[in-house]
Amino acid sequence: MIIRLAKHSGFCFGVRRAIQLAVEAVQEGQPVYSLGELIHNPQYVQEMESRGVRVASSAESLHDSTVIIRSHGITKQQHEKLLEQGNIVIDATCPYVSKTHELIRQANIDGYPVLILGDAEHPEVIGMRSYGNQETLVVAPDEDVPNISSKRLCVISQTTQKLGHLNKLVQQLIPKVMELKVYNTICLATSQRQHSSQCLAMNSDLIIVIGGKQSSNTKMLSKLCSEYCPTVHIETEEELEPSVLSGKMRIGLAAGASTPENRIVDVYNKILKINGEEDLATSIQSIPLFKEESC
Ligand code: SF4
C-alpha cells in the first residue's frame, strides 16, 4: 500500500493568520471571544477554547471585551455593533475576504447590482452580502440563475468556489445582461487545494479527505475527489473504518484549508497501524507528498 498526501493540504494563509492573532491576543492575559467558531474544525475550536478563546454566538452578547473576527468575516452590522458596545475588535478577516467586501461596496457605488456565486447560508457569503445593497443576490452553483432586471451586473465569487462554476455562471449570464463585470475572487489556496486533490484522486484507489464537516472548502474537496475515485470525508482518525481500506493499494490524503496538521498526521498513522506498521510519522513532513507533474 502507498499513502500519499496532496501537495497543497491543510491550513491556508488566512486561517494561520487568524489563529496567530487569536493566540497573541490570549497571551495578553485578557479573555478573548471569537464571534462564531474561529475555524470550521470542531476539534481545533475546542483546543483553542482550552487556551482561552471562547466562542460567542452573537455580537449583541459582547460588551467591553476583546473580540476576534474569524477568517471568513462577519457582517457589516455585526462589526458596527461590536464597536458600539465598547469591544476591542481584532480583525482576522482574511484579506482576500475583505477584498470581496470592498469590491461589492464599490460595484454598488458604480451602479452595478451584485450577484454572489456561493452558498447563501455560509457565514462568508452572509458577510459579503451585508456589504451590498438591497438588490444583492446569491446563487449557488446548482441553482438556476435568477431573473436579472438590470442591464448591468457585477458577479463575484465566494472565495472557496470552483472556477468551473464561475465560468458556467458567466456563460449563462452573458445572454441576459448587456454589461457584465466579473471578479474572480476564488483564492489561490482554494484552487491549489482543489487541483492537487483532484490530481491525487486521479491516481488513487481511495481518497480520505480530512477536515470539518461544516467546512465549505473541505466539502468541495470531497465532492471533487469523488468524481475520480471512492472518497470518504472524516474529521478525525477515529472515524476511519479499517474496512474502507480493504483492497485499496493507493491511498490519497487530502485536507481542507481549516484542517490542522496534527489531524492529518493522526489519520496517516492510523492507516499505518491498521497495516501493522510501527514506524509512525512524527510530523506532516514525514508523509510522502504526491508529485503532481503528471497531471
Ligand atoms: S481559503 Fe483563501 S480566502 Fe479563505 S481564509 Fe484561506 S486564504 Fe483566505
Side-chain angles (χ1 to χ4, degrees), residues 4-290:
R4 297 170 299 186
L5 175 65
K7 186 171 161 196
H8 297 282
S9 296
F11 281 174
C12 62
F13 148 79
V15 167
R16 272 186 210 286
R17 177 174 170 271
I19 289 168
Q20 180 66 29
L21 288 170
V23 168
E24 282 169 13
V26 166
Q27 280 166 355
E28 304 274 304
Q30 306 288 338
V32 174
Y33 293 87
S34 73
L35 184 48
E37 295 181 338
L38 192 60
I39 60 172
H40 271 155
N41 189 282
Q43 294 75 28
Y44 202 80
V45 169
Q46 263 179 15
E47 206 174 307
M48 290 301 284
E49 223 159 46
S50 67
R51 292 166 82 171
V53 183
R54 302 171 197 171
V55 180
S57 54
S58 73
E60 285 72 22
S61 64
L62 293 165
H63 297 261
D64 306 313
S65 302
T66 301
V67 183
I68 183 146
I69 299 180
R70 54 193 178 170
S71 56
H72 45 232
I74 57 175
T75 67
K76 190 172 167 230
Q77 294 76 14
Q78 285 172 314
H79 201 148
E80 286 165 0
K81 187 59 130 183
L82 288 175
L83 293 174
E84 260 168 47
Q85 296 188 161
N87 297 293
I88 298 168
V89 176
I90 301 171
D91 192 354
T93 308
C94 177
Y96 299 131
V97 176
S98 301
K99 181 75 185 169
T100 66
H101 299 169
E102 179 50 29
L103 290 172
I104 291 171
R105 208 182 58 80
Q106 191 59 48
N108 284 166
I109 292 172
D110 296 342
Y112 291 81
V114 172
L115 176 63
I116 301 168
L117 171 67
D119 170 2
E121 304 296 318
H122 190 281
E124 180 187 327
V125 176
I126 295 171
M128 286 170 77
R129 196 175 196 171
S130 74
Y131 283 83
N133 61 20
Q134 296 290 320
E135 291 176 273
T136 307
L137 297 171
V138 180
V139 64
D142 49 1
E143 279 175 355
D144 293 336
V145 176
N147 283 332
I148 310 289
S149 51
S150 166
K151 286 188 176 160
R152 36 173 37 189
L153 184 71
C154 170
V155 174
I156 190 160
S157 176
Q158 182 181 2
T159 56
T160 48
Q161 288 294 315
K162 193 180 163 198
L163 186 59
H165 292 152
L166 180 60
N167 267 329
K168 188 174 159 209
L169 177 62
V170 169
Q171 294 308 318
Q172 288 170 325
L173 285 166
I174 286 172
K176 294 179 188 260
V177 281
M178 209 161 127
E179 193 185 340
L180 195 59
K181 189 191 275 277
V182 181
Y183 289 117
N184 174 4
T185 45
I186 299 167
C187 97
L188 185 63
T190 300
S191 7
Q192 284 174 333
R193 275 155 190 70
Q194 290 177 356
H195 178 73
S196 59
S197 302
Q198 270 178 312
C199 285
L200 180 56
M202 286 174 204
N203 293 278
S204 298
D205 303 319
L206 173 73
I207 290 282
I208 301 170
V209 177
I210 310 152
K213 297 273 166 68
Q214 299 305 319
S215 159
S216 173
N217 74 86
T218 309
K219 285 191 285 184
M220 182 63 85
L221 290 185
S222 180
K223 188 166 178 281
L224 292 175
C225 290
S226 66
E227 290 169 14
Y228 300 98
C229 80
T231 301
V232 290
H233 176 182
I234 57 173
E235 279 185 358
T236 68
E237 76 281 7
E238 281 108 38
E239 289 173 54
L240 181 64
E241 296 290 340
S243 58
V244 297
L245 303 174
S246 170
K248 309 284 195 259
M249 296 309 291
R250 300 170 305 160
I251 309 293
L253 302 180
S258 50
T259 308
E261 288 184 357
N262 59 353
R263 286 267 89 82
I264 302 170
V265 174
D266 288 347
V267 171
Y268 177 72
N269 283 339
K270 169 124 185 220
I271 302 170
L272 292 183
K273 283 185 207 160
I274 292 170
N275 271 347
E277 293 182 37
E278 287 171 6
D279 193 11
L280 303 183
T282 48
S283 71
I284 197 159
Q285 282 74 29
S286 326
I287 306 178
L289 290 181
F290 175 67

